[in-house]
Amino acid sequence: YDMRLDPCENAKDLKKVIEAIKELTGHDKINLVCRCEGGVIVNAYFNMYQEEAKQDIESVIMYNVITNGAEIADELYSNKVDLDADAMNRFISGFLDTSPILDFVKETVNILTYAGVIEGGLDWVKKIYDKVSLNLMPRLIREIFGTCPGWWGMVSPEAVEDAKAFVLESDNADGKYDKLIEKIDTYNEYKKNARNILEEMQASGMKVYVIAKYGEQIYPVIESADLLGDGVVSLTSQTFDGATTSK
């Protein structure tokens, strides 16, 4: 599928695929495994085709899904950017390759972090960012992925209104984003129902599994960089608010 598209359009295609697999295999029911954006599409499918899904799906495995939103999208789309020295240190330590030079760089950054030097430098960068972000960030997001309905599937229900106001409505005087906003709002209603629809599917006899990963956030530029998750989405969001983590 094309994750830039409206999740509801991709859900229509998923329904066709399921019907084709049933016909080709001769089975009455199939199993679904979805990961990341796949969870967004399966959620749209369950909401749009509830009765068909109950008849056609034996089990569904939700693996590190962003069905319930992802903090990185919430905070970037709402301009809640933060530069945290400890998060930056974890990022450099965890994601730079290993070599004598890079190991030296990692240890140097580690020392500078504990000495407070990195924090002082980031404070300076944050002050510059704060001065330019209100004009720069909405334009930047719109140019890269802010006009793709599928990417808006990553924004949690609680953050959608703030995100629309920051990214789209500030540049929507002529109504050019009205159709996009309509698609965002339609899927957001499905997103609000994500946990309920899984419980309904389970009550109908479908086997429902949620698999989530522990790990540190890989993006050191958001307020929730200290939440544990799969590196992008927190454990809390992955499990539909069913699990929490310490900071």
Side-chain angles (χ1 to χ4, degrees), residues 86-99:
D86 289 330
M88 188 71 70
N89 188 24
R90 287 199 305 268
F91 176 78
I92 291 171
S93 297
F95 295 96
L96 282 183
D97 289 334
T98 297
S99 73

Side-chain angles (χ1 to χ4, degrees), residues 18 20 30 47 77 81 115 118-119 123 133 145 193 200 212 223:
I18 291 169
I30 71 166
N47 276 276
Y77 278 48
V81 172
I118 298 295
E119 185 175 358
D123 286 344
S133 63
F145 40 63
N193 195 42
E200 184 178 333
E223 292 180 356

Side-chain angles (χ1 to χ4, degrees), residues 40-76:
V40 171
I41 296 168
V42 167
N43 181 52
Y45 165 73
F46 281 164
N47 276 276
M48 293 166 66
Y49 305 107
Q50 294 184 34
E51 296 310 313
E52 292 96 328
K54 291 174 184 177
Q55 297 299 318
D56 292 344
I57 309 301
E58 176 73 22
S59 67
V60 60
I61 299 174
M62 314 288 279
Y63 175 61
N64 297 141
V65 292
I66 56 174
T67 313
N68 203 36
E71 287 77 10
I72 182 69
D74 289 359
E75 296 177 26
L76 287 181

Side-chain angles (χ1 to χ4, degrees), residues 91-150:
F91 176 78
I92 291 171
S93 297
F95 295 96
L96 282 183
D97 289 334
T98 297
S99 73
I101 294 297
L102 291 178
D103 288 344
F104 175 77
V105 171
K106 292 178 186 178
E107 290 306 317
T108 301
V109 171
N110 194 36
I111 292 170
L112 293 175
T113 299
Y114 284 103
V117 176
I118 298 295
E119 185 175 358
L122 291 178
D123 286 344
W124 179 75
V125 173
K126 187 68 165 60
K127 287 178 182 178
I128 296 175
Y129 174 85
D130 289 340
K131 290 182 179 180
V132 303
S133 63
L134 290 180
N135 290 319
L136 174 64
M137 283 301 288
R139 291 167 52 196
L140 188 62
I141 293 171
R142 288 194 300 267
E143 286 294 326
I144 299 174
F145 40 63
T147 57
C148 302

